[in-house]
Amino acid sequence: MSRSHRLLQLMQCLRDGAGPKTAVSLARELNISARSIHRDIATLREMGAVIDGAAGYGFTLIEDNAIPPLRFTDDELEALVLGLREVQQIGDPDLGLAAGQALIKLQGRLPPRQSHRLKHAVLSAKRFVQPETPGISAARLRKAAWDEMEIRFGYTDVHGAVTHRQARPLGIAYMDRSTVLIAWCLLRQDKRVFRLDRMRDLEVTQTCFRPNRVPMLRDAIEQIRCDIEKTGKEHNSAN
């Protein structure tokens, strides 16, 4: 781990607002020595961070002068808090953790009044029915989509039949009860929606389909929208 990366990680640990942290506890979190923590605290102070505390008493980040405060309206701040807390509820474990870390970073960069408002926000999000747990690594799937790499996986349909698919991952959508992959299925030669909880044995191939993901995703979403509208019209006609 480079020292610059370690300093960033140390700042993140100090930003979490959990009260004074001793050098021993920080060293345990970062897997380095307590002596290194003391040196890094001194470096951060030289860079402009206001860190209260001393050896044996723990350290608390008071102000980070190296990072300018962010400016949001109160409504924008509430929207950010609500969105991130919703991600904590419905996202996969990696996304949920990232949302929590993002809230901590926001709190560390906001002016004092808004930092207090974020910490004690009026809005919250609660899902009493959680989406089904993905059968594959959602983080690995997201990376494959960003990198525009074709994937292979096993898929179990609603009747229990298992097929093996190769597809171009285009996007991931978080629905009420499940999380789905929007993809171009090479087996069916058409867009398909796959539930992540029914996917197994994800393999990322070496076949890249860049730069086609964005236009393919746009076309797939438009086709899905048209299919939904058509189904709704047929339902209304039948009634």
Side-chain angles (χ1 to χ4, degrees):
M1 181 194 304
S2 68
R3 187 152 191 256
S4 59
H5 181 61
R6 193 175 76 216
L7 290 173
L8 288 172
Q9 284 196 316
L10 177 55
M11 283 295 294
Q12 181 67 4
C13 290
L14 292 170
R15 284 189 187 117
D16 68 5
K21 291 195 170 184
T22 65
V24 172
S25 66
L26 289 167
R28 190 181 302 115
E29 286 188 59
L30 299 178
N31 197 28
I32 59 176
S33 68
R35 180 175 296 180
S36 294
I37 291 294
H38 289 297
R39 286 199 298 263
D40 289 347
I41 291 288
T43 299
L44 290 173
R45 284 170 168 165
E46 291 173 1
M47 293 169 63
V50 181
I51 301 173
D52 191 23
Y57 296 96
F59 299 98
T60 302
L61 179 65
I62 304 301
E63 185 179 352
D64 180 7
N65 291 333
I67 303 177
L70 294 174
R71 300 294 180 185
F72 296 105
T73 67
D74 289 341
D75 284 343
E76 287 173 343
L77 187 62
E78 292 285 2
L80 284 170
V81 172
L82 181 61
L84 288 169
R85 287 183 173 170
E86 176 76 355
V87 173
Q88 288 181 302
Q89 289 289 311
I90 69 172
D92 58 80
D94 292 312
L95 273 186
L97 178 61
Q101 294 296 318
L103 281 169
I104 292 170
K105 289 181 178 179
L106 272 174
Q107 187 173 347
R109 294 186 62 183
L110 289 168
R113 185 187 72 83
Q114 286 201 320
S115 178
H116 177 80
R117 190 181 182 95
L118 182 149
K119 186 175 182 180
H120 303 285
V122 172
L123 301 180
S124 188
K126 180 62 180 177
R127 293 291 186 97
F128 293 98
V129 179
Q130 298 296 317
E132 296 291 340
T133 303
I136 46 87
S137 168
R140 196 159 169 241
L141 180 60
R142 287 196 301 273
K143 186 176 187 307
W146 272 115
D147 295 342
E148 299 183 44
M149 304 298 291
E150 291 183 2
I151 58 173
R152 297 191 186 98
F153 57 92
Y155 191 72
T156 304
D157 68 17
V158 67
H159 304 294
V162 179
T163 56
H164 296 280
R165 306 295 184 98
Q166 182 160 339
R168 294 172 177 173
L170 307 178
I172 298 173
Y174 289 81
M175 315 298 284
D176 288 340
R177 298 294 181 91
S178 62
T179 306
V180 300
L181 168 69
I182 302 171
W184 178 265
C185 179
L186 294 172
L187 176 64
R188 306 302 185 196
Q189 284 297 301
D190 197 3
K191 64 89 184 166
R192 284 291 186 272
V193 174
F194 299 101
R195 284 178 45 160
L196 267 61
D197 58 300
R198 294 179 180 171
M199 296 173 64
R200 296 292 185 274
D201 304 320
L202 176 66
E203 175 189 351
V204 180
T205 75
Q206 297 301 309
T207 304
C208 182
F209 61 98
R210 184 176 289 121
N212 298 317
R213 186 185 72 84
V214 173
M216 290 178 72
L217 177 59
R218 183 172 56 244
D219 292 344
I221 291 175
E222 177 61 20
Q223 185 177 342
I224 291 170
R225 185 186 66 80
C226 291
D227 290 345
I228 291 173
E229 287 183 354
K230 181 180 178 181
T231 301
K233 289 178 180 178
E234 291 175 350
H235 178 75
N236 290 334
S237 297
N239 290 336

PDB file of all heavy atoms in Angstrom, residues 95 138-151 168-172 181 204 208-214 217:
ATOM      1  N   LEU A  95     -22.334  -2.492  -2.696  1.00  0.00           N
ATOM      2  CA  LEU A  95     -22.961  -1.193  -2.909  1.00  0.00           C
ATOM      3  C   LEU A  95     -23.469  -0.599  -1.598  1.00  0.00           C
ATOM      4  O   LEU A  95     -23.377   0.609  -1.373  1.00  0.00           O
ATOM      5  CB  LEU A  95     -24.126  -1.319  -3.894  1.00  0.00           C
ATOM      6  CG  LEU A  95     -23.804  -1.201  -5.381  1.00  0.00           C
ATOM      7  CD1 LEU A  95     -25.092  -1.204  -6.195  1.00  0.00           C
ATOM      8  CD2 LEU A  95     -23.007   0.053  -5.684  1.00  0.00           C
ATOM      9  N   ALA A 138     -22.324  -9.380  -7.636  1.00  0.00           N
ATOM     10  CA  ALA A 138     -22.867  -8.223  -8.348  1.00  0.00           C
ATOM     11  C   ALA A 138     -21.761  -7.227  -8.682  1.00  0.00           C
ATOM     12  O   ALA A 138     -21.811  -6.564  -9.717  1.00  0.00           O
ATOM     13  CB  ALA A 138     -23.955  -7.559  -7.516  1.00  0.00           C
ATOM     14  N   ALA A 139     -20.765  -7.115  -7.809  1.00  0.00           N
ATOM     15  CA  ALA A 139     -19.656  -6.198  -8.072  1.00  0.00           C
ATOM     16  C   ALA A 139     -18.884  -6.635  -9.316  1.00  0.00           C
ATOM     17  O   ALA A 139     -18.495  -5.807 -10.151  1.00  0.00           O
ATOM     18  CB  ALA A 139     -18.724  -6.143  -6.868  1.00  0.00           C
ATOM     19  N   ARG A 140     -18.670  -7.943  -9.459  1.00  0.00           N
ATOM     20  CA  ARG A 140     -17.953  -8.465 -10.624  1.00  0.00           C
ATOM     21  C   ARG A 140     -18.783  -8.267 -11.899  1.00  0.00           C
ATOM     22  O   ARG A 140     -18.256  -7.964 -12.964  1.00  0.00           O
ATOM     23  CB  ARG A 140     -17.674  -9.957 -10.397  1.00  0.00           C
ATOM     24  CG  ARG A 140     -16.619 -10.525 -11.320  1.00  0.00           C
ATOM     25  CD  ARG A 140     -16.027 -11.791 -10.751  1.00  0.00           C
ATOM     26  NE  ARG A 140     -15.221 -12.449 -11.767  1.00  0.00           N
ATOM     27  CZ  ARG A 140     -15.446 -13.660 -12.249  1.00  0.00           C
ATOM     28  NH1 ARG A 140     -16.472 -14.362 -11.794  1.00  0.00           N
ATOM     29  NH2 ARG A 140     -14.673 -14.177 -13.172  1.00  0.00           N
ATOM     30  N   LEU A 141     -20.086  -8.426 -11.767  1.00  0.00           N
ATOM     31  CA  LEU A 141     -20.975  -8.214 -12.906  1.00  0.00           C
ATOM     32  C   LEU A 141     -20.965  -6.746 -13.328  1.00  0.00           C
ATOM     33  O   LEU A 141     -20.929  -6.428 -14.521  1.00  0.00           O
ATOM     34  CB  LEU A 141     -22.391  -8.650 -12.539  1.00  0.00           C
ATOM     35  CG  LEU A 141     -23.455  -8.504 -13.623  1.00  0.00           C
ATOM     36  CD1 LEU A 141     -23.102  -9.321 -14.863  1.00  0.00           C
ATOM     37  CD2 LEU A 141     -24.824  -8.905 -13.089  1.00  0.00           C
ATOM     38  N   ARG A 142     -21.009  -5.824 -12.359  1.00  0.00           N
ATOM     39  CA  ARG A 142     -20.951  -4.390 -12.680  1.00  0.00           C
ATOM     40  C   ARG A 142     -19.665  -4.048 -13.415  1.00  0.00           C
ATOM     41  O   ARG A 142     -19.663  -3.288 -14.386  1.00  0.00           O
ATOM     42  CB  ARG A 142     -21.048  -3.545 -11.403  1.00  0.00           C
ATOM     43  CG  ARG A 142     -22.421  -3.506 -10.779  1.00  0.00           C
ATOM     44  CD  ARG A 142     -22.534  -2.360  -9.779  1.00  0.00           C
ATOM     45  NE  ARG A 142     -21.557  -2.462  -8.714  1.00  0.00           N
ATOM     46  CZ  ARG A 142     -21.723  -3.149  -7.595  1.00  0.00           C
ATOM     47  NH1 ARG A 142     -22.843  -3.840  -7.416  1.00  0.00           N
ATOM     48  NH2 ARG A 142     -20.802  -3.181  -6.659  1.00  0.00           N
ATOM     49  N   LYS A 143     -18.565  -4.612 -12.961  1.00  0.00           N
ATOM     50  CA  LYS A 143     -17.275  -4.338 -13.605  1.00  0.00           C
ATOM     51  C   LYS A 143     -17.268  -4.855 -15.043  1.00  0.00           C
ATOM     52  O   LYS A 143     -16.756  -4.195 -15.946  1.00  0.00           O
ATOM     53  CB  LYS A 143     -16.136  -4.966 -12.812  1.00  0.00           C
ATOM     54  CG  LYS A 143     -14.752  -4.603 -13.339  1.00  0.00           C
ATOM     55  CD  LYS A 143     -13.652  -5.162 -12.468  1.00  0.00           C
ATOM     56  CE  LYS A 143     -12.281  -4.646 -12.902  1.00  0.00           C
ATOM     57  NZ  LYS A 143     -11.978  -4.850 -14.325  1.00  0.00           N
ATOM     58  N   ALA A 144     -17.844  -6.038 -15.250  1.00  0.00           N
ATOM     59  CA  ALA A 144     -17.906  -6.590 -16.603  1.00  0.00           C
ATOM     60  C   ALA A 144     -18.719  -5.681 -17.523  1.00  0.00           C
ATOM     61  O   ALA A 144     -18.368  -5.472 -18.695  1.00  0.00           O
ATOM     62  CB  ALA A 144     -18.507  -7.990 -16.577  1.00  0.00           C
ATOM     63  N   ALA A 145     -19.808  -5.114 -16.986  1.00  0.00           N
ATOM     64  CA  ALA A 145     -20.630  -4.197 -17.780  1.00  0.00           C
ATOM     65  C   ALA A 145     -19.852  -2.926 -18.106  1.00  0.00           C
ATOM     66  O   ALA A 145     -19.868  -2.446 -19.249  1.00  0.00           O
ATOM     67  CB  ALA A 145     -21.922  -3.874 -17.041  1.00  0.00           C
ATOM     68  N   TRP A 146     -19.167  -2.359 -17.098  1.00  0.00           N
ATOM     69  CA  TRP A 146     -18.375  -1.155 -17.341  1.00  0.00           C
ATOM     70  C   TRP A 146     -17.257  -1.417 -18.338  1.00  0.00           C
ATOM     71  O   TRP A 146     -16.965  -0.579 -19.201  1.00  0.00           O
ATOM     72  CB  TRP A 146     -17.781  -0.647 -16.027  1.00  0.00           C
ATOM     73  CG  TRP A 146     -18.669   0.285 -15.279  1.00  0.00           C
ATOM     74  CD1 TRP A 146     -19.235   0.077 -14.056  1.00  0.00           C
ATOM     75  CD2 TRP A 146     -19.115   1.585 -15.688  1.00  0.00           C
ATOM     76  NE1 TRP A 146     -20.003   1.161 -13.683  1.00  0.00           N
ATOM     77  CE2 TRP A 146     -19.949   2.096 -14.666  1.00  0.00           C
ATOM     78  CE3 TRP A 146     -18.892   2.366 -16.827  1.00  0.00           C
ATOM     79  CZ2 TRP A 146     -20.542   3.351 -14.752  1.00  0.00           C
ATOM     80  CZ3 TRP A 146     -19.499   3.611 -16.902  1.00  0.00           C
ATOM     81  CH2 TRP A 146     -20.304   4.095 -15.881  1.00  0.00           C
ATOM     82  N   ASP A 147     -16.618  -2.567 -18.217  1.00  0.00           N
ATOM     83  CA  ASP A 147     -15.514  -2.918 -19.126  1.00  0.00           C
ATOM     84  C   ASP A 147     -16.008  -3.406 -20.481  1.00  0.00           C
ATOM     85  O   ASP A 147     -15.212  -3.610 -21.393  1.00  0.00           O
ATOM     86  CB  ASP A 147     -14.620  -3.985 -18.489  1.00  0.00           C
ATOM     87  CG  ASP A 147     -13.897  -3.482 -17.252  1.00  0.00           C
ATOM     88  OD1 ASP A 147     -13.807  -2.244 -17.088  1.00  0.00           O
ATOM     89  OD2 ASP A 147     -13.429  -4.318 -16.458  1.00  0.00           O
ATOM     90  N   GLU A 148     -17.334  -3.619 -20.582  1.00  0.00           N
ATOM     91  CA  GLU A 148     -17.964  -4.115 -21.817  1.00  0.00           C
ATOM     92  C   GLU A 148     -17.353  -5.454 -22.255  1.00  0.00           C
ATOM     93  O   GLU A 148     -16.965  -5.647 -23.410  1.00  0.00           O
ATOM     94  CB  GLU A 148     -17.879  -3.059 -22.921  1.00  0.00           C
ATOM     95  CG  GLU A 148     -18.609  -1.776 -22.538  1.00  0.00           C
ATOM     96  CD  GLU A 148     -18.609  -0.719 -23.626  1.00  0.00           C
ATOM     97  OE1 GLU A 148     -18.854  -1.067 -24.794  1.00  0.00           O
ATOM     98  OE2 GLU A 148     -18.370   0.461 -23.300  1.00  0.00           O
ATOM     99  N   MET A 149     -17.333  -6.389 -21.290  1.00  0.00           N
ATOM    100  CA  MET A 149     -16.825  -7.736 -21.541  1.00  0.00           C
ATOM    101  C   MET A 149     -17.983  -8.730 -21.511  1.00  0.00           C
ATOM    102  O   MET A 149     -18.852  -8.661 -20.632  1.00  0.00           O
ATOM    103  CB  MET A 149     -15.799  -8.130 -20.473  1.00  0.00           C
ATOM    104  CG  MET A 149     -14.632  -7.163 -20.340  1.00  0.00           C
ATOM    105  SD  MET A 149     -13.630  -7.012 -21.831  1.00  0.00           S
ATOM    106  CE  MET A 149     -12.852  -8.639 -21.868  1.00  0.00           C
ATOM    107  N   GLU A 150     -18.011  -9.630 -22.487  1.00  0.00           N
ATOM    108  CA  GLU A 150     -19.050 -10.652 -22.510  1.00  0.00           C
ATOM    109  C   GLU A 150     -18.888 -11.589 -21.310  1.00  0.00           C
ATOM    110  O   GLU A 150     -17.780 -11.787 -20.803  1.00  0.00           O
ATOM    111  CB  GLU A 150     -18.995 -11.441 -23.813  1.00  0.00           C
ATOM    112  CG  GLU A 150     -19.415 -10.614 -25.020  1.00  0.00           C
ATOM    113  CD  GLU A 150     -19.441 -11.424 -26.314  1.00  0.00           C
ATOM    114  OE1 GLU A 150     -19.172 -12.649 -26.253  1.00  0.00           O
ATOM    115  OE2 GLU A 150     -19.722 -10.839 -27.378  1.00  0.00           O
ATOM    116  N   ILE A 151     -20.013 -12.140 -20.861  1.00  0.00           N
ATOM    117  CA  ILE A 151     -19.999 -13.027 -19.696  1.00  0.00           C
ATOM    118  C   ILE A 151     -20.673 -14.354 -20.042  1.00  0.00           C
ATOM    119  O   ILE A 151     -21.473 -14.439 -20.980  1.00  0.00           O
ATOM    120  CB  ILE A 151     -20.725 -12.387 -18.497  1.00  0.00           C
ATOM    121  CG1 ILE A 151     -22.179 -12.040 -18.866  1.00  0.00           C
ATOM    122  CG2 ILE A 151     -19.970 -11.154 -18.020  1.00  0.00           C
ATOM    123  CD1 ILE A 151     -23.028 -11.553 -17.701  1.00  0.00           C
ATOM    124  N   ARG A 168     -23.992 -10.127 -23.348  1.00  0.00           N
ATOM    125  CA  ARG A 168     -23.321  -8.833 -23.235  1.00  0.00           C
ATOM    126  C   ARG A 168     -24.051  -8.026 -22.149  1.00  0.00           C
ATOM    127  O   ARG A 168     -25.180  -7.601 -22.375  1.00  0.00           O
ATOM    128  CB  ARG A 168     -23.342  -8.094 -24.577  1.00  0.00           C
ATOM    129  CG  ARG A 168     -22.514  -8.825 -25.634  1.00  0.00           C
ATOM    130  CD  ARG A 168     -22.674  -8.217 -27.007  1.00  0.00           C
ATOM    131  NE  ARG A 168     -21.819  -8.900 -27.973  1.00  0.00           N
ATOM    132  CZ  ARG A 168     -21.842  -8.688 -29.289  1.00  0.00           C
ATOM    133  NH1 ARG A 168     -22.701  -7.792 -29.792  1.00  0.00           N
ATOM    134  NH2 ARG A 168     -21.027  -9.350 -30.083  1.00  0.00           N
ATOM    135  N   PRO A 169     -23.440  -7.851 -20.987  1.00  0.00           N
ATOM    136  CA  PRO A 169     -24.120  -7.139 -19.894  1.00  0.00           C
ATOM    137  C   PRO A 169     -24.223  -5.645 -20.191  1.00  0.00           C
ATOM    138  O   PRO A 169     -23.219  -4.980 -20.443  1.00  0.00           O
ATOM    139  CB  PRO A 169     -23.209  -7.412 -18.684  1.00  0.00           C
ATOM    140  CG  PRO A 169     -21.846  -7.609 -19.286  1.00  0.00           C
ATOM    141  CD  PRO A 169     -22.073  -8.274 -20.615  1.00  0.00           C
ATOM    142  N   LEU A 170     -25.440  -5.119 -20.150  1.00  0.00           N
ATOM    143  CA  LEU A 170     -25.674  -3.728 -20.522  1.00  0.00           C
ATOM    144  C   LEU A 170     -25.967  -2.835 -19.324  1.00  0.00           C
ATOM    145  O   LEU A 170     -25.534  -1.690 -19.262  1.00  0.00           O
ATOM    146  CB  LEU A 170     -26.834  -3.651 -21.521  1.00  0.00           C
ATOM    147  CG  LEU A 170     -26.711  -4.536 -22.766  1.00  0.00           C
ATOM    148  CD1 LEU A 170     -27.946  -4.393 -23.639  1.00  0.00           C
ATOM    149  CD2 LEU A 170     -25.448  -4.191 -23.549  1.00  0.00           C
ATOM    150  N   GLY A 171     -26.736  -3.332 -18.360  1.00  0.00           N
ATOM    151  CA  GLY A 171     -27.089  -2.527 -17.192  1.00  0.00           C
ATOM    152  C   GLY A 171     -27.754  -3.380 -16.137  1.00  0.00           C
ATOM    153  O   GLY A 171     -28.197  -4.511 -16.417  1.00  0.00           O
ATOM    154  N   ILE A 172     -27.845  -2.859 -14.926  1.00  0.00           N
ATOM    155  CA  ILE A 172     -28.463  -3.564 -13.804  1.00  0.00           C
ATOM    156  C   ILE A 172     -29.572  -2.683 -13.243  1.00  0.00           C
ATOM    157  O   ILE A 172     -29.365  -1.482 -13.024  1.00  0.00           O
ATOM    158  CB  ILE A 172     -27.431  -3.896 -12.714  1.00  0.00           C
ATOM    159  CG1 ILE A 172     -26.342  -4.829 -13.278  1.00  0.00           C
ATOM    160  CG2 ILE A 172     -28.101  -4.539 -11.503  1.00  0.00           C
ATOM    161  CD1 ILE A 172     -25.195  -5.073 -12.329  1.00  0.00           C
ATOM    162  N   LEU A 181     -30.417  -8.119 -14.479  1.00  0.00           N
ATOM    163  CA  LEU A 181     -29.440  -7.729 -15.484  1.00  0.00           C
ATOM    164  C   LEU A 181     -30.152  -7.539 -16.815  1.00  0.00           C
ATOM    165  O   LEU A 181     -30.892  -8.417 -17.261  1.00  0.00           O
ATOM    166  CB  LEU A 181     -28.362  -8.817 -15.625  1.00  0.00           C
ATOM    167  CG  LEU A 181     -27.433  -8.693 -16.848  1.00  0.00           C
ATOM    168  CD1 LEU A 181     -26.515  -7.485 -16.705  1.00  0.00           C
ATOM    169  CD2 LEU A 181     -26.621  -9.978 -17.033  1.00  0.00           C
ATOM    170  N   VAL A 204     -16.316 -14.118 -16.585  1.00  0.00           N
ATOM    171  CA  VAL A 204     -16.075 -12.971 -17.459  1.00  0.00           C
ATOM    172  C   VAL A 204     -15.100 -13.407 -18.551  1.00  0.00           C
ATOM    173  O   VAL A 204     -13.985 -13.844 -18.255  1.00  0.00           O
ATOM    174  CB  VAL A 204     -15.503 -11.777 -16.675  1.00  0.00           C
ATOM    175  CG1 VAL A 204     -15.271 -10.588 -17.608  1.00  0.00           C
ATOM    176  CG2 VAL A 204     -16.439 -11.383 -15.538  1.00  0.00           C
ATOM    177  N   CYS A 208     -14.489  -8.472 -25.799  1.00  0.00           N
ATOM    178  CA  CYS A 208     -14.961  -7.127 -25.503  1.00  0.00           C
ATOM    179  C   CYS A 208     -15.931  -6.661 -26.592  1.00  0.00           C
ATOM    180  O   CYS A 208     -15.700  -6.919 -27.780  1.00  0.00           O
ATOM    181  CB  CYS A 208     -13.773  -6.169 -25.421  1.00  0.00           C
ATOM    182  SG  CYS A 208     -14.212  -4.473 -24.992  1.00  0.00           S
ATOM    183  N   PHE A 209     -17.017  -6.004 -26.188  1.00  0.00           N
ATOM    184  CA  PHE A 209     -17.969  -5.488 -27.174  1.00  0.00           C
ATOM    185  C   PHE A 209     -18.015  -3.955 -27.169  1.00  0.00           C
ATOM    186  O   PHE A 209     -18.970  -3.348 -27.635  1.00  0.00           O
ATOM    187  CB  PHE A 209     -19.365  -6.092 -26.968  1.00  0.00           C
ATOM    188  CG  PHE A 209     -19.998  -5.813 -25.636  1.00  0.00           C
ATOM    189  CD1 PHE A 209     -20.913  -4.788 -25.478  1.00  0.00           C
ATOM    190  CD2 PHE A 209     -19.692  -6.604 -24.526  1.00  0.00           C
ATOM    191  CE1 PHE A 209     -21.519  -4.546 -24.254  1.00  0.00           C
ATOM    192  CE2 PHE A 209     -20.285  -6.367 -23.294  1.00  0.00           C
ATOM    193  CZ  PHE A 209     -21.197  -5.334 -23.162  1.00  0.00           C
ATOM    194  N   ARG A 210     -16.987  -3.326 -26.613  1.00  0.00           N
ATOM    195  CA  ARG A 210     -16.870  -1.871 -26.644  1.00  0.00           C
ATOM    196  C   ARG A 210     -16.806  -1.391 -28.086  1.00  0.00           C
ATOM    197  O   ARG A 210     -16.161  -2.046 -28.916  1.00  0.00           O
ATOM    198  CB  ARG A 210     -15.605  -1.455 -25.884  1.00  0.00           C
ATOM    199  CG  ARG A 210     -15.411   0.041 -25.764  1.00  0.00           C
ATOM    200  CD  ARG A 210     -14.201   0.413 -24.936  1.00  0.00           C
ATOM    201  NE  ARG A 210     -14.410   0.120 -23.524  1.00  0.00           N
ATOM    202  CZ  ARG A 210     -13.653  -0.698 -22.815  1.00  0.00           C
ATOM    203  NH1 ARG A 210     -12.647  -1.321 -23.389  1.00  0.00           N
ATOM    204  NH2 ARG A 210     -13.914  -0.917 -21.552  1.00  0.00           N
ATOM    205  N   PRO A 211     -17.434  -0.274 -28.454  1.00  0.00           N
ATOM    206  CA  PRO A 211     -18.102   0.732 -27.623  1.00  0.00           C
ATOM    207  C   PRO A 211     -19.620   0.659 -27.742  1.00  0.00           C
ATOM    208  O   PRO A 211     -20.280   1.690 -27.899  1.00  0.00           O
ATOM    209  CB  PRO A 211     -17.580   2.035 -28.228  1.00  0.00           C
ATOM    210  CG  PRO A 211     -17.520   1.734 -29.706  1.00  0.00           C
ATOM    211  CD  PRO A 211     -17.225   0.254 -29.830  1.00  0.00           C
ATOM    212  N   ASN A 212     -20.174  -0.535 -27.690  1.00  0.00           N
ATOM    213  CA  ASN A 212     -21.595  -0.712 -28.023  1.00  0.00           C
ATOM    214  C   ASN A 212     -22.537  -0.728 -26.827  1.00  0.00           C
ATOM    215  O   ASN A 212     -23.755  -0.744 -27.018  1.00  0.00           O
ATOM    216  CB  ASN A 212     -21.770  -2.013 -28.810  1.00  0.00           C
ATOM    217  CG  ASN A 212     -21.014  -1.985 -30.133  1.00  0.00           C
ATOM    218  OD1 ASN A 212     -21.028  -0.983 -30.835  1.00  0.00           O
ATOM    219  ND2 ASN A 212     -20.327  -3.079 -30.454  1.00  0.00           N
ATOM    220  N   ARG A 213     -22.019  -0.728 -25.596  1.00  0.00           N
ATOM    221  CA  ARG A 213     -22.899  -0.920 -24.452  1.00  0.00           C
ATOM    222  C   ARG A 213     -23.965   0.170 -24.323  1.00  0.00           C
ATOM    223  O   ARG A 213     -25.152  -0.138 -24.147  1.00  0.00           O
ATOM    224  CB  ARG A 213     -22.090  -0.979 -23.147  1.00  0.00           C
ATOM    225  CG  ARG A 213     -22.952  -1.335 -21.928  1.00  0.00           C
ATOM    226  CD  ARG A 213     -22.154  -1.265 -20.642  1.00  0.00           C
ATOM    227  NE  ARG A 213     -21.850   0.093 -20.262  1.00  0.00           N
ATOM    228  CZ  ARG A 213     -22.677   0.881 -19.580  1.00  0.00           C
ATOM    229  NH1 ARG A 213     -23.867   0.434 -19.203  1.00  0.00           N
ATOM    230  NH2 ARG A 213     -22.327   2.108 -19.259  1.00  0.00           N
ATOM    231  N   VAL A 214     -23.569   1.427 -24.419  1.00  0.00           N
ATOM    232  CA  VAL A 214     -24.515   2.522 -24.193  1.00  0.00           C
ATOM    233  C   VAL A 214     -25.651   2.527 -25.216  1.00  0.00           C
ATOM    234  O   VAL A 214     -26.826   2.562 -24.831  1.00  0.00           O
ATOM    235  CB  VAL A 214     -23.785   3.885 -24.159  1.00  0.00           C
ATOM    236  CG1 VAL A 214     -24.789   5.032 -24.105  1.00  0.00           C
ATOM    237  CG2 VAL A 214     -22.855   3.955 -22.942  1.00  0.00           C
ATOM    238  N   LEU A 217     -27.877  -0.520 -24.570  1.00  0.00           N
ATOM    239  CA  LEU A 217     -28.701  -0.368 -23.375  1.00  0.00           C
ATOM    240  C   LEU A 217     -29.872   0.574 -23.656  1.00  0.00           C
ATOM    241  O   LEU A 217     -31.004   0.302 -23.246  1.00  0.00           O
ATOM    242  CB  LEU A 217     -27.860   0.178 -22.221  1.00  0.00           C
ATOM    243  CG  LEU A 217     -28.610   0.452 -20.911  1.00  0.00           C
ATOM    244  CD1 LEU A 217     -29.266  -0.808 -20.372  1.00  0.00           C
ATOM    245  CD2 LEU A 217     -27.666   1.056 -19.870  1.00  0.00           C
TER     246      LEU A 217
END
